[in-house]
Amino acid sequence: PHESGAPRQITPITPSDWFEVLTRAVFNAGMSWQVVQARWPAIAEAFADFEPKVVSGYDEQDVERLVTDDRLIRSRPKLAAVTVNARTFVDLAEEHGDFPTWLHGLGDYDARERGLRRAFGYIGEFGAYWAQYTCGVEVPDHREWAAARGRPLPAHLQDGAG
């Protein structure tokens, strides 16, 4: 993210790029982006630079190991969700050819949001929005999206900023 907290957009190329964005959405849920950002290098190391096929092989012993690593955000539910999400990611990619094909095949924004929320643990409505926005997938204007859900705007979008 930028210093303002606004996510930077990327063009995901590899499965690891997509999975990294989904993993960041998991850790950002209910947490300050600054905390997540400060621990991100260790999180990347812990999750094999977000290689979904590697992380999909993690088991409960791996989650236990990660929970004891004080460089990480040691939320057992979030750490476990990342491992389950990796298996889901790999399964969807195998079934549909690749992850972007699955995502775009869901249809419009609302269908993609529902699909992400149903398929992946710890991905809520904002995480689904953020992940799609970050990856350059078409999403509604953030101001309209927030207003429709009764959510406050982030600081970087208030007072005409952003």
Side-chain angles (χ1 to χ4, degrees), residues 79-132:
L79 293 166
V82 172
T83 65
V84 172
N85 288 351
R87 289 189 280 281
T88 300
F89 185 96
V90 168
D91 290 347
L92 289 170
E94 288 176 357
E95 183 178 338
H96 297 275
D98 62 17
F99 177 78
T101 299
W102 171 79
L103 181 63
H104 292 291
L106 294 172
D108 67 5
Y109 171 77
D110 290 328
R112 291 190 311 268
E113 178 190 318
R114 281 190 307 273
L116 286 166
R117 292 177 66 190
R118 287 179 182 150
F120 296 98
Y122 267 88
I123 303 285
E125 64 182 8
F126 183 75
Y129 181 95
W130 180 88
Q132 291 180 81

Side-chain angles (χ1 to χ4, degrees), residues 3-150:
E3 287 183 27
S4 68
R8 65 180 176 83
Q9 288 188 299
I10 65 166
T11 301
I13 296 169
T14 68
S16 296
D17 296 337
W18 286 96
F19 189 64
E20 179 176 1
V21 171
L22 292 172
T23 300
R24 189 178 287 268
V26 167
F27 283 103
N28 279 343
M31 297 201 71
S32 159
W33 70 267
Q34 293 100 330
V35 170
V36 175
Q37 183 64 26
R39 295 181 183 244
W40 202 246
I43 293 169
E45 180 185 327
F47 287 110
D49 288 322
F50 308 106
E51 176 51 52
K53 287 187 178 181
V54 173
V55 179
S56 70
Y58 284 20
D59 60 18
E60 184 57 35
Q61 287 181 325
D62 292 303
V63 172
E64 289 301 318
R65 175 181 49 80
L66 296 173
V67 165
T68 64
D69 187 338
D70 61 5
R71 301 173 306 140
L72 305 177
I73 295 166
R74 297 184 299 168
S75 164
R76 181 184 312 277
K78 287 184 179 190
L79 293 166
V82 172
T83 65
V84 172
N85 288 351
R87 289 189 280 281
T88 300
F89 185 96
V90 168
D91 290 347
L92 289 170
E94 288 176 357
E95 183 178 338
H96 297 275
D98 62 17
F99 177 78
T101 299
W102 171 79
L103 181 63
H104 292 291
L106 294 172
D108 67 5
Y109 171 77
D110 290 328
R112 291 190 311 268
E113 178 190 318
R114 281 190 307 273
L116 286 166
R117 292 177 66 190
R118 287 179 182 150
F120 296 98
Y122 267 88
I123 303 285
E125 64 182 8
F126 183 75
Y129 181 95
W130 180 88
Q132 291 180 81
Y133 172 84
T134 300
C135 291
V137 176
E138 186 176 338
V139 297
D141 174 80
H142 195 103
R143 290 170 180 86
E144 294 170 14
W145 180 89
R149 288 161 175 77

